[in-house]
Amino acid sequence: MSVPHTASAPYDVRGMRVTDHRFTVPLDHAVPDGESITVFAREYSDAELPAGEVEDLPWLLYLQGGPGGKGNRLLQFGGWTKAAAKHFRILMLDQRGTGLSTPADRQTLPLRGDAAAQATYLAHFRADSIVADAELIRESLGSGPWSTYGQSYGGFCTLTYLSFAPEGLRECLVTGGLAPLAGPADRVYEATFRRVAARNAEYFSRYPEDRELTTRIARHLESVPEYLPSGERLSVRRFQMAGSYLGGNTRVDGLHYLLQEAFVPTPDGERLSDTFLEAVHGLVSRAANPLYAVLHESIYAQGQATNWAAERVLQSFPAFEPTAPEPLYTGEMVYPWYFDEDPALVPLRDTAELLARKADWGPLYDAGQLARNTVPVAAAVYTDDIYVDRDLSLETAEAVRGLQVWESADFHHDGIADDGETIFGRLLDMVRGQDTQQ
């Protein structure tokens, strides 16, 4: 069925023709006549093409990483979008709760009521609901089966799409986003803690002076109060979140540059610089994407509670403890203390706790349907990915009929930021049977 839909007049931005779309969709797709929310999406096409030719192009739906990530705001075509615009009208989706879709954050969620009401509301913000939104949007745009490109969590959503609405799909591309289809979230963190530890070792081998400097910053934070621009004291464990730099080829050296600017002399002795504290704040604050923390472990939950799996598994990896002699940087794991230290998350502490305890999550994948899959799928799997484990990814690939894998050790999780044009082109060739490099 189609849903209420409004579209802006097209406007041009640096060679792109842009149209803003807003769709009214059910909050709960099981109750289509119940409460509704707005989902926003932005269309990009080549401004040099006549309008009639653009309308004849097939659609490509981009499924952003996350959870809690809004669609990319393009200022010009480049990387994978430059390649995609040659073949498609690109639709950047603000997944429900993000961007210009009906927001869900510390400011808006209290409108729902208490923590229990907020948790009930947010239970409708996982991949199954995102896919149901996408199908209504596709039908409202008058598109036949369309192509999708899923990065990271967008790949998880792709697997859900293949499970429950394969009739809406022409072909699917996935980068760094083959989720485990079953099992507790503990499996994910047991694998990724090992990969993050190996990435730390690789980083400190590359920049050996940063090993001592990292420990020095940690010990300094234990004894000297340092405050982020938002006013809260910076803890060692929050500083360890700078390990987000380790997730990519294009970002890893940024950690070295950050650490180089850590200390400055002051009348009160050596202190962390404003430059350093400002940069760390940008890394550790979830103000721009609170759903990433609130819903993070739920993206692995099917029929059981997660109960803070990452915190539980951490006990087996003491080198990541802030009190370790030489503490390691962490990855994308989310812990309950986030909701004590991040001002954007503190008001959502009780809501997050209820979601962590929730045990009646519905299924995100249909193993039988995936085993019968007929939709062409190609996935880039990054050998040393610290966010989506290579071994678990290959396990999933084996369970999806016809899924083609391109494994590469040349990229990390941010591969599409590194060489998106090449990666997109290769995956598109694979699903269309034109890849000569296999």
Side-chain angles (χ1 to χ4, degrees), residues 28-105:
D28 181 351
H29 286 276
V31 188
D33 296 328
E35 182 180 354
S36 62
I37 60 173
T38 298
V39 172
F40 175 86
R42 183 167 280 136
E43 172 190 351
Y44 296 93
S45 61
D46 188 340
E48 295 184 2
L49 292 176
E53 290 187 30
V54 170
E55 291 174 2
D56 290 336
L57 287 174
W59 287 96
L60 174 73
L61 173 68
Y62 181 65
L63 295 167
Q64 174 65 282
K70 64 185 179 183
N72 294 346
R73 270 48 178 168
L74 302 183
L75 300 178
Q76 63 182 19
F77 286 134
W80 76 264
T81 60
K82 180 179 179 181
K86 298 174 183 177
H87 307 278
F88 299 100
R89 301 164 76 175
I90 301 169
L91 193 68
M92 290 284 185
L93 179 66
D94 281 359
Q95 298 169 11
R96 50 172 55 199
T98 74
L100 292 173
S101 296
T102 300
D105 55 33

Side-chain angles (χ1 to χ4, degrees), residues 200-252:
N200 270 266
E202 179 185 348
Y203 175 80
F204 289 128
S205 174
R206 184 171 182 170
Y207 294 111
E209 67 274 25
D210 288 357
R211 176 61 276 174
E212 185 278 333
L213 182 53
T214 295
T215 304
R216 183 175 152 211
I217 294 170
R219 300 292 85 90
H220 173 85
L221 289 170
E222 288 175 343
S223 59
V224 180
E226 298 280 7
Y227 296 90
L228 294 173
S230 47
E232 73 273 21
R233 183 173 176 176
L234 175 61
S235 64
V236 177
R237 56 191 181 183
R238 211 155 171 222
F239 160 61
Q240 289 173 271
M241 292 169 64
S244 60
Y245 274 118
L246 302 180
N249 278 351
T250 60
R251 301 185 70 234
V252 65

Side-chain angles (χ1 to χ4, degrees), residues 193-194 196-197 200 240 314 317-322 324 327-331:
F193 268 120
R194 288 192 293 270
V196 178
N200 270 266
Q240 289 173 271
L314 172 65
F317 295 87
F320 288 96
E321 294 284 359
L328 299 182
Y329 291 102
T330 55

Side-chain angles (χ1 to χ4, degrees), residues 122-130 153 298-299 301-302 361-364:
L122 291 176
H124 300 296
F125 281 66
R126 298 200 306 161
D128 49 350
S129 296
I130 293 168
Y153 178 63
S298 78
I299 69 176
Q302 300 181 88
W361 293 107
L364 292 170

